[in-house]
Amino acid sequence: MDVELEQLKKALFKGNLISPEKLELAEKKAKELGQKLEDVLVGEKAISEENLVKIKAETLKIPFVNLEKEIISPRILETIPESLARRYNVIAFKQIGNDLLVAMLNPGDLQTIKFIEKKTGLKVLPYFTTAQSIKNILKQYIKTLVAEFEELIKEAEEMSPILKDSSKNKNLKKIAVEIPVIRMVDILLKHAILESASDIHIEPMEKKVVIRYRIDGILYEVLFLPKQVHPGIIARIKVLANLKLDEHRLPQDGRFKIETEGYKISFRVSIMPVFYGEKVVMRLLPEAVKVSVLDELGLSGDALRKIQSNIKSSEGLILVTGPTGCGKTTTLYTILNILNSTRVNISTIEDPIEYCIPMINQTQVKPAIGLTFANGLRSLVRQDPDILMVGEIRDVETASLSINAALTGHLVLSTLHTNSAAGAFPRLIDMGAKGFLIVSTAKLIIAQRLVRRLCDSKKNHILKDSEIKSLNEEYNMDSILNMLKKKRIVGSKTNWKDIKFTRPQSSKICPEGYKGRIGIFEVLEVSESIKELIIRGVPSDKIEEQAKKEGMTTMLEDGFIKAVQGITTIEEIFRVIRE
């Protein structure tokens, strides 16, 4: 039982939740991509997931519950075993006498309801809920990573000679398929997924192995393991990634995938020999991730308008700049998703392909067989593309080919490693690109960083005189305050001591006070005056100065806007800017 398409559309109109024009565009996109209308509506942020589920609940006369911030007692939670909860996306959240209140994504699933009733001996009262609610409560089933490993290592020592054998590197193929080792790796991966980690680091030391997760851009030590388990864990990961078990002296790279009913994740594996053994870093790439819309990334105002205007061009070069891990690829994928339609041919050359997008032709770089960015790009321009995405401009050849493609009627998107938007031009010239060709093609440079978002549990903070003085020594705080006034973020007579900033506050749902990340941006549009500066070969700070005169908001200023709005903290802004 689900809401029929026409019922859903009527309910959306009745609640004034979407305009007919937006709905028509969403329906068209859903048909083109072969997706459900509701998935497109939520993905495009035309309606929130909660409002959509509430509409369905009202239409079907089924109650709705939001559990995104709730803590459920273990006694109630365990009424439905974790395996069933994960498999069917159902959560027991309250019991009243013999009635069990159950939150579900699909309360019309009568077969599951009857199964739970038979299993528990209770009458199930189904409620609609959101996917985020289910995700939040499922985390509450999990034992801590340390507790799971303590039990597992104890079991391994009692039941198997695995620890002894693995410490001597004997018969690694056999060790890699031993149950304790398989479970150790499975637990490491499972907890990383549930913690929304982007990377797992397995680092051998002299007498122990350190496990670290990167969560929201910060590395956390999560576990210390006995040194003797290290060879077994490495062997298991090599088996999963189809790498050479007996190679310990050279770096290796591989990939594997984990797919369950709850998630589909690709793991990009890098193994590097270090002093005390082999270090592993695994990048987690969720395949089911929905590509965001630009404002969801953190773009707004003039910066957003500049991007929306320039990506409509049929030719030219658009670059996204910043250090590794600052979200450049996500920004490019978001732009590609906006441009994606049956009327254009979009081709990419990437290393690696992080997310697969329907209807876009994505090619993986393979230097070992001669498929480099430059060679791949040469072939792609013969594939009748309208839009090209080059994963990264690393050398003069790729830079020249990208510029030539932009000159000959293609819109080219790419990334570059520079600290600021203005720094892109000297970097291209250092690579050997000609200034007159750069100004003929470059339309827009986007520079970005990622900062952690504050949770709802936060506390107010007013800057002290000593803090303002310290900031003034490093930054032009008067200029930043004037920018905030000009953009009407604060009142015209406001001073720094009038502004309420926020700081993180720990809670059960949000132990660090932060959850998720958002971008801070500067978007430089290549005007005629900036073209003249590029031709003259002036330093990047002069180009930035001119861009600011023409209305560009710097990353630091964009960060202060988000800090004043309570989205993030000043400390976060300085952390990423200084890095």
Side-chain angles (χ1 to χ4, degrees):
M1 177 174 65
D2 201 358
V3 180
E4 292 181 2
L5 183 60
E6 290 305 315
Q7 277 183 301
L8 178 63
K9 285 159 68 175
K10 281 181 184 176
L12 289 169
F13 287 139
K14 188 178 177 183
N16 291 320
L17 292 170
I18 191 169
S19 66
E21 295 79 15
K22 276 191 177 179
L23 186 62
E24 188 179 341
L25 285 171
E27 276 194 282
K28 188 178 177 184
K29 188 153 194 175
K31 279 183 183 177
E32 285 180 353
L33 299 177
Q35 294 180 355
K36 283 185 174 183
L37 173 62
E38 57 193 73
D39 290 340
V40 172
L41 289 171
V42 173
E44 294 280 328
K45 297 213 76 174
I47 184 172
S48 69
E49 184 199 4
E50 183 174 342
N51 281 339
L52 181 68
V53 176
K54 280 180 177 176
I55 284 285
K56 291 166 77 172
E58 287 171 14
T59 305
L60 296 173
K61 310 296 182 193
I62 294 172
F64 169 83
V65 64
N66 187 326
L67 302 174
E68 290 181 22
K69 297 175 185 174
E70 297 298 318
I71 303 289
I72 310 298
S73 83
R75 182 183 67 80
I76 299 296
L77 195 62
E78 288 164 14
T79 310
I80 298 175
E82 182 185 355
S83 58
L84 290 181
R86 288 188 181 283
R87 185 173 180 185
Y88 297 110
N89 285 309
V90 294
I91 297 293
F93 66 94
K94 194 182 247 188
Q95 186 178 342
I96 305 172
N98 285 326
D99 292 339
L100 184 66
L101 279 57
V102 177
M104 308 176 69
L105 294 183
N106 179 15
D109 187 352
L110 299 179
Q111 191 175 350
T112 297
I113 290 171
K114 286 178 182 176
F115 181 71
I116 294 169
E117 287 180 336
K118 188 177 178 182
K119 190 90 177 167
T120 61
L122 301 169
K123 179 177 173 57
V124 169
L125 301 181
Y127 280 67
F128 258 116
T129 195
T130 62
Q132 192 58 43
S133 292
I134 297 284
K135 186 178 178 182
N136 170 48
I137 305 303
L138 284 176
K139 286 182 181 178
Q140 295 173 34
Y141 276 103
I142 306 302
K143 289 182 184 176
T144 69
L145 184 61
V146 174
E148 287 206 63
F149 260 92
E150 281 176 353
E151 290 176 10
L152 189 55
I153 289 170
K154 186 178 178 182
E155 179 187 325
E157 287 173 334
E158 290 174 356
M159 298 179 63
S160 169
I162 184 68
L163 297 181
K164 184 179 176 182
D165 286 349
S166 68
S167 66
K168 295 177 182 178
N169 285 329
K170 289 183 178 179
N171 199 354
L172 285 171
K173 192 169 184 179
K174 183 181 176 183
I175 290 167
V177 295
E178 284 272 356
I179 296 300
V181 168
I182 290 173
R183 285 181 58 197
M184 283 179 193
V185 174
D186 285 350
I187 290 167
L188 284 177
L189 301 182
K190 178 185 77 173
H191 276 268
I193 292 166
L194 294 172
E195 292 290 338
S196 300
S198 61
D199 301 85
I200 304 169
H201 291 237
I202 301 172
E203 302 171 320
M205 302 297 168
E206 184 179 6
K207 295 179 180 178
K208 62 186 176 183
V209 180
V210 181
I211 308 296
R212 299 198 287 173
Y213 290 164
R214 189 178 293 280
I215 301 168
D216 293 336
I218 307 292
L219 270 173
Y220 296 94
E221 287 181 349
V222 294
L223 188 64
F224 296 97
L225 294 176
K227 186 65 182 284
Q228 59 263 39
V229 306
H230 180 251
I233 288 174
I234 300 300
R236 176 62 186 162
I237 292 168
K238 285 181 177 179
V239 167
L240 288 172
N242 197 27
L243 301 175
K244 294 177 182 177
L245 276 170
D246 57 352
E247 178 57 77
H248 306 291
R249 298 174 303 166
L250 293 173
Q252 294 192 76
D253 295 305
R255 197 170 178 133
F256 65 91
K257 186 186 295 186
I258 290 180
E259 189 170 347
T260 71
E261 290 189 11
Y263 47 75
K264 190 194 295 186
I265 308 274
S266 280
F267 290 82
R268 193 171 82 229
V269 179
S270 172
I271 299 181
M272 174 70 71
V274 293
F275 189 77
Y276 289 113
E278 291 176 278
K279 176 185 174 180
V280 175
V281 175
M282 291 183 277
R283 168 66 55 90
L284 282 70
L285 303 167
E287 293 198 357
V289 72
K290 289 178 182 174
V291 179
S292 307
V293 290
L294 287 170
D295 56 355
E296 193 176 289
L297 300 180
L299 284 154
S300 60
D302 288 337
L304 178 59
R305 285 190 287 275
K306 285 174 184 176
I307 293 175
Q308 288 171 333
S309 170
N310 281 277
I311 63 176
K312 291 175 184 174
S313 302
S314 59
E315 59 185 16
L317 182 65
I318 295 175
L319 296 174
V320 185
T321 74
T324 300
C326 72
K328 299 187 296 294
T329 303
T330 301
T331 300
L332 283 182
Y333 279 173
T334 303
I335 292 171
L336 289 181
N337 190 53
I338 293 167
L339 298 173
N340 193 10
S341 81
T342 54
R343 294 181 177 273
V344 292
N345 175 18
I346 302 177
S347 296
T348 76
I349 179 85
E350 305 175 58
D351 185 23
I353 296 172
E354 295 199 5
Y355 306 113
C356 292
I357 306 177
M359 295 172 54
I360 291 181
N361 309 292
Q362 295 172 265
T363 301
Q364 169 69 53
V365 165
K366 294 177 184 174
I369 59 170
L371 181 52
T372 61
F373 278 116
N375 291 338
L377 187 51
R378 277 196 192 91
S379 298
L380 284 184
V381 293
R382 294 193 288 271
Q383 287 276 308
D384 186 32
D386 299 289
I387 299 163
L388 287 164
M389 194 267 267
V390 182
E392 184 184 344
I393 294 177
R394 296 178 180 173
D395 51 50
V396 61
E397 196 174 9
T398 309
S400 298
L401 287 166
S402 299
I403 289 169
N404 285 333
L407 277 170
T408 53
H410 305 94
L411 180 62
V412 179
L413 310 172
S414 191
T415 70
L416 201 62
H417 283 275
T418 62
N419 289 329
S420 65
F425 305 114
R427 177 82 179 106
L428 287 171
I429 290 167
D430 286 346
M431 283 183 180
K434 304 295 183 187
F436 71 91
L437 291 177
I438 294 172
V439 299
S440 300
T441 53
K443 291 188 171 293
L444 198 72
I445 314 294
I446 305 164
Q448 66 179 79
R449 301 287 188 278
L450 291 176
V451 294
R452 291 181 292 172
R453 281 179 178 269
L454 282 165
C455 297
D456 290 337
S457 53
K458 50 194 171 188
K459 52 190 176 185
N460 288 334
H461 172 68
I462 304 293
L463 289 176
K464 297 173 184 173
D465 288 333
S466 58
E467 290 175 312
I468 296 169
K469 184 181 178 183
S470 175
L471 291 172
N472 262 318
E473 289 172 3
E474 197 170 352
Y475 304 102
N476 188 340
M477 297 300 286
D478 288 339
S479 173
I480 293 171
L481 186 59
N482 287 334
M483 176 276 302
L484 293 171
K485 290 176 181 179
K486 189 176 178 181
K487 291 184 178 290
R488 298 184 179 179
I489 307 297
V490 299
S492 59
K493 295 182 180 178
T494 303
N495 61 49
W496 284 116
K497 296 196 76 173
D498 298 325
I499 300 173
K500 285 184 180 177
F501 289 99
T502 45
R503 279 189 170 163
Q505 186 167 301
S506 178
S507 68
K508 286 184 179 178
I509 297 291
C510 218
E512 294 282 327
Y514 293 102
K515 188 67 177 174
R517 290 190 288 176
I518 191 169
I520 56 172
F521 297 86
E522 59 187 36
V523 178
L524 190 157
E525 197 167 30
V526 185
S527 63
E528 290 303 319
S529 55
I530 286 173
K531 286 179 182 179
E532 286 178 24
L533 296 177
I534 296 167
I535 291 288
R536 282 163 44 197
V538 304
S540 60
D541 57 342
K542 297 293 182 186
I543 296 173
E544 182 173 302
E545 194 178 305
Q546 179 61 33
K548 287 171 72 174
K549 285 179 184 174
E550 294 175 8
M552 183 183 81
T553 301
T554 66
M555 279 185 287
L556 179 64
E557 291 170 343
D558 190 36
F560 263 92
I561 291 170
K562 290 178 170 70
V564 171
Q565 292 170 338
I567 296 169
T568 189
T569 62
I570 295 177
E571 290 80 7
E572 268 297 287
I573 303 304
F574 291 144
R575 179 181 68 83
V576 301
I577 292 290
R578 285 165 180 159
E579 283 178 357

